[in-house]
Amino acid sequence: MIFGVFLFYFLLFIFIFSTPEKWKQKDKRLKQLFAVPAAIALIMVLLTVLKVYFIYKLFILLFFGFTFLLSYWQWGDQMRQWWKK
């Protein structure tokens, strides 16, 4: 059951985060393409195990997304350099 939940969220987030450009570049970009959705899917599975309701999961993701957006505005150059490595 837990693996099925992880697989569902993993495939959902791969669909959300993937672009055709990333699928064409089959070098290190694919590893980065799978790392972010896997991390978010793992967080969602942990929240599922802790019996957090779906709406609260979305609120948690929105909070962390907003925090990431503010961080990106502050340290965007460093993040882009890391992403291009």
Side-chain angles (χ1 to χ4, degrees), residues 32-75:
Q32 291 174 341
L33 174 68
F34 292 137
V36 173
I40 296 174
L42 185 63
I43 291 169
M44 293 295 279
V45 166
L46 291 175
L47 291 174
T48 301
V49 170
L50 296 174
K51 302 295 183 203
V52 175
Y53 294 110
F54 185 74
I55 190 70
Y56 294 126
K57 290 179 198 177
L58 293 179
F59 286 149
I60 290 169
L61 284 178
L62 285 174
F63 172 75
F64 284 115
F66 184 70
T67 304
F68 178 77
L69 180 65
L70 292 177
S71 299
Y72 184 76
W73 284 341
Q74 183 70 29
W75 297 294

Side-chain angles (χ1 to χ4, degrees), residues 9 15-17 19 40 43 47 50 53 59 63 77-80 83:
Y9 284 122
F15 178 73
I16 291 171
F17 288 117
T19 60
I40 296 174
I43 291 169
L47 291 174
L50 296 174
Y53 294 110
F59 286 149
F63 172 75
D77 292 333
Q78 291 91 342
M79 288 181 185
R80 279 191 296 272
W83 192 256

Side-chain angles (χ1 to χ4, degrees), residues 14 22 24 57 65:
I14 282 181
K22 290 186 180 181
K24 290 179 185 175
K57 290 179 198 177

